[in-house]
Amino acid sequence: MTSENDAPQPDPDTAIAPSAASDSASASASHSEAHPDAIYADPRLAACYDTVDGERDDLDHYESILEEIGARTVVDVGCGTGALAVRLAASGHSVTGVDPALASLEVASTKPGSGRVDWIHGTAVDLPALDPPLSADAAVMTGNVAQVFVTDEAWASTLAAIRAAVRDGGHLVFEARRPERRAWEEWQADNAESVHEVPGLGQVRSRPLRFDVDLPLVTFADEFLFEDGSTITSTSTLRWRSETELRDSLTAAGFAVQEIRDAPDRPGREFVVIARAA
């Protein structure tokens, strides 16, 4: 068994820039965005994340969409451990990855090619304060990122900040689960323990602890047990938005919805939104 200090260390040549936003801008982020869940923010759990999350087949269609719209400069909002960011950088994109979880960014900075990505420790609302300012071809939010903004105010301020970081005619691409599919019911029914072999940490067991459904919010907690007997609990809350809510919020932020597609890896379960900066 190795200790937490034996987890992969960041490449010293890879810079993780601090947030450049003012206190007032940072205050407009949601609690969950500014204070990320333990699964992303705790160093040991962040080191587990890629193993627990498994194969990221969902990233294939993001790369295809970015190629389709001709995006070469990309902002990965909520980039986490950098799976998509380093992949895009390897294919020649200019990539900025922003995330409020420093532990996740430190994992990202250990990955091959991470030095080609500009890593920003902060939230989406920090992007307009960057110097020089961004004028990206596209911004992306993968996985559950678009659903961590649980209040209308946090979601609106995030979209506005992304719009400011994307050039006129650029795009925002993200996914969100369809409320009518009620995915939380399947999650709630799955109470099995999982066992993972995590490089640098050994065997890690995880199990669900609780589910609270108060639509449009769903809160769930998982416990992680390490070989040394220590445990860490991570609690997450996600917000489900209808297609109408997504369209209206994007329009208010200065985007025009170009297309809403199905997710190839989860047919019928998710919206894949492609919006153009008007």
Side-chain angles (χ1 to χ4, degrees):
M1 172 66 183
T2 55
S3 71
E4 178 179 341
N5 292 331
D6 293 323
Q9 298 300 306
D11 182 343
D13 295 327
T14 301
I16 299 175
S19 163
S22 66
D23 291 341
S24 61
S26 296
S28 67
S30 73
H31 175 82
S32 60
E33 183 193 26
H35 303 280
D37 307 333
I39 188 66
Y40 312 113
D42 180 90
R44 281 193 293 176
L45 291 189
C48 295
Y49 184 81
D50 289 334
T51 301
V52 173
D53 207 34
E55 189 71 26
R56 292 299 304 273
D57 293 341
D58 60 304
L59 300 182
D60 294 345
H61 68 272
Y62 279 94
E63 192 163 17
S64 297
I65 291 171
L66 292 172
E67 181 178 356
E68 179 184 328
I69 62 180
R72 302 308 301 165
T73 57
V74 181
V75 181
D76 188 355
V77 176
C79 63
T81 58
L84 179 61
V86 295
R87 176 173 173 170
L88 292 176
S91 62
H93 293 78
S94 176
V95 185
T96 298
V98 59
D99 200 283
L102 183 58
S104 290
L105 290 178
E106 289 175 341
V107 172
S109 71
T110 69
K111 294 182 175 180
S114 62
R116 302 189 188 113
V117 179
D118 292 326
W119 304 106
I120 304 296
H121 178 216
T123 68
V125 297
D126 298 338
L127 295 175
L130 296 179
D131 185 17
L134 291 174
S135 184
D137 295 329
V140 296
M141 290 186 284
T142 67
N144 292 326
V145 172
Q147 291 183 244
V148 305
F149 308 101
V150 298
T151 68
D152 292 337
E153 293 77 14
W155 179 234
S157 64
T158 296
L159 291 179
I162 293 172
R163 175 62 188 89
V166 174
R167 65 171 176 81
D168 292 347
H171 293 81
L172 168 60
V173 183
F174 68 92
E175 64 190 79
R177 295 177 186 272
R178 296 176 181 266
E180 62 270 21
R181 283 303 302 261
R182 303 177 68 86
W184 58 85
E185 293 179 348
E186 297 175 21
W187 298 350
Q188 195 168 17
D190 184 5
N191 57 8
E193 181 181 86
S194 299
V195 181
H196 308 276
E197 289 292 334
V198 180
L201 290 176
Q203 190 176 90
V204 179
R205 297 178 178 272
S206 64
R207 65 184 182 93
L209 288 182
R210 68 180 180 90
F211 255 91
D212 297 318
V213 180
D214 185 15
L215 296 178
L217 303 181
V218 175
T219 299
F220 48 94
D222 295 287
E223 181 181 68
F224 296 82
L225 174 64
F226 295 85
E227 286 187 351
D228 63 2
S230 62
T231 61
I232 302 174
T233 298
S234 182
T235 302
S236 302
T237 299
L238 300 179
R239 165 82 178 261
W240 264 254
R241 291 180 173 88
S242 68
E243 181 176 342
T244 298
E245 288 177 293
L246 292 174
R247 287 181 178 274
D248 289 348
S249 61
L250 287 162
T251 298
F255 288 97
V257 175
Q258 182 172 308
E259 187 178 357
I260 296 182
R261 300 180 178 178
D262 208 10
D265 60 316
R266 296 187 182 99
R269 295 174 177 266
E270 294 181 348
F271 305 113
V272 177
V273 181
I274 305 172
R276 189 173 185 274

